Amino acid sequence: MSLQQWWNGLEPRERRTLTLGGIALIIILYVFAIWLPAHRDAARLETRLAEQRTLLAWMQQAAAEAQSLRAAGGDNVVGTGNQALFSFVDQSAREAGLASALRQVEPSSERQVRVALQQASFDVLIGWLATLKGRHGVEVTGLSVRRSDSPGLVDAQLVLEAPAS
């Protein structure tokens, strides 16, 4: 018996029921296999696009800031003044907001100091080091950073060197 003979052998009510069931099955398959996954992916991609645009804006702003700092870098270096390097580093670390994290500042030579920080904010530390380099010409010649248990905090050991006079 062929499919067409089987279909024709059904009562009109049975054919109508099977036709409506087939249409419902096609609609359900379309919704769950095509429309919903595409809709979810589109929403996820829109969110990701917004995040990427935010990141791009931040990167462009940071690049402009870096470029302006680079352009002004050589003219604004003021050194450490008449102050000893270890004293200057201690004072500038405290002014930068690292007083609670500062564990040790000890001179290792006339132009070098070792600094130990514990539970220091990573962002504040990087900002302080950038200021030391960009504004005072103090170089980081040694750096060891370990992540702390608290988010955003680090333990760091630094060797800083003053610019040649």
Side-chain angles (χ1 to χ4, degrees):
M1 176 187 275
S2 73
L3 186 60
Q4 188 168 10
Q5 288 174 343
W6 173 77
W7 181 258
N8 290 334
L10 294 175
E11 294 291 323
R13 189 171 139 217
E14 292 173 331
R15 283 190 287 222
R16 188 173 51 245
T17 302
L18 285 174
T19 301
L20 290 175
I23 292 171
L25 180 64
I26 290 171
I27 291 171
I28 289 170
L29 285 175
Y30 171 77
V31 167
F32 286 101
I34 297 171
W35 188 80
L36 279 178
H39 184 69
R40 267 186 255 135
D41 287 347
R44 184 178 48 83
L45 289 174
E46 285 177 13
T47 303
R48 187 167 178 203
L49 178 62
E51 291 170 354
Q52 294 295 320
R53 284 184 176 154
T54 303
L55 180 61
L56 175 63
W58 177 84
M59 290 174 83
Q60 288 172 333
Q61 183 263 337
E65 185 177 333
Q67 194 172 25
S68 68
L69 288 173
R70 193 176 305 122
D75 300 339
N76 292 340
V77 174
V78 294
T80 61
N82 292 333
Q83 198 172 10
L85 180 62
F86 78 92
S87 164
F88 172 77
V89 167
D90 183 70
Q91 178 186 350
S92 67
R94 292 179 192 285
E95 289 172 358
L98 293 168
S100 63
L102 201 57
R103 293 295 168 252
Q104 181 179 16
V105 178
E106 75 176 12
S108 59
S109 74
E110 191 174 308
R111 289 187 46 225
Q112 280 192 338
V113 294
R114 287 193 192 104
V115 181
L117 298 162
Q118 191 173 16
Q119 298 287 312
S121 167
F122 181 75
D123 294 337
V124 173
L125 172 64
I126 295 302
W128 174 59
L129 294 176
T131 300
L132 285 178
K133 169 65 177 147
R135 189 158 172 106
H136 304 285
V138 176
E139 296 274 346
V140 178
T141 58
L143 175 65
S144 171
V145 179
R146 239 184 26 244
R147 180 177 60 163
S148 178
D149 294 335
S150 302
L153 300 181
V154 295
D155 298 334
Q157 286 75 40
L158 310 152
V159 177
L160 302 174
E161 186 173 318
S165 299

